[in-house]
């Protein structure tokens, strides 16, 4: 594999981490996140999904992996592995970040 797709994979992993943080923790989306949390019971799965870095990163990572395949940056057979890898990188980074 060429260097260029590898660089894109790393960039997409970091972009997955950033978008996940935007959804789960950043102040910019705090109001919509709080509205979802207020509208749902505490034990509702969707309430958990909007604050869970590991959960959100799975969806964001899947979109990033599919987007890269759609753009022709890598083969479609890599999409499942990249989605899991992006999610894991995001979860790992989030666990070391602390509350921001």
């Amino acid at each position: 594999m060429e260097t260029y797709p590898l660089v894109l994979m790393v960039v997409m992993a970091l972009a997955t981490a950033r978008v996940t943080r935007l959804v789960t923790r950043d102040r910019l989306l705090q109001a919509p996140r709080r509205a979802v949390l207020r509208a749902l019971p505490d034990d509702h799965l969707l309430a958990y999904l909007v604050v869970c870095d590991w959960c959100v990163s799975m969806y964001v990572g899947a979109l990033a992996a599919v987007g890269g395949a759609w753009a022709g940056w890598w083969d479609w057979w890599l999409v499942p592995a990249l989605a899991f890898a992006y999610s894991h990188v995001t979860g790992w980074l989030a666990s070391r970040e602390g509350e921001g």
Side-chain angles (χ1 to χ4, degrees):
M1 184 173 283
E2 299 174 32
T3 303
Y4 183 66
L6 291 175
V7 169
L8 287 171
M9 287 178 187
V10 170
V11 169
M12 294 297 267
L14 295 173
T16 298
R18 185 63 193 105
V19 170
T20 297
R21 180 173 167 76
L22 185 67
V23 171
T24 61
R25 297 190 209 183
D26 277 0
R27 187 173 178 194
L28 185 63
L29 293 181
Q30 185 175 12
R33 186 172 50 253
R34 282 185 178 169
V36 169
L37 293 173
R38 274 193 308 270
L40 298 169
D42 289 340
D43 61 344
H44 196 281
L45 183 60
L46 188 56
Y48 179 68
L49 288 176
V50 298
V51 295
C52 171
D53 294 310
W54 289 93
C55 304
V56 172
S57 68
M58 197 60 229
Y59 298 106
V60 175
L63 288 173
V66 166
W70 181 77
W73 296 342
W74 45 76
D75 294 329
W76 283 96
W77 64 267
L78 286 170
V79 167
L82 288 173
F84 283 114
Y86 293 161
S87 177
H88 192 79
V89 166
T90 299
W92 185 81
L93 289 171
S95 71
R96 278 139 187 83
E97 187 175 64
E99 291 300 316

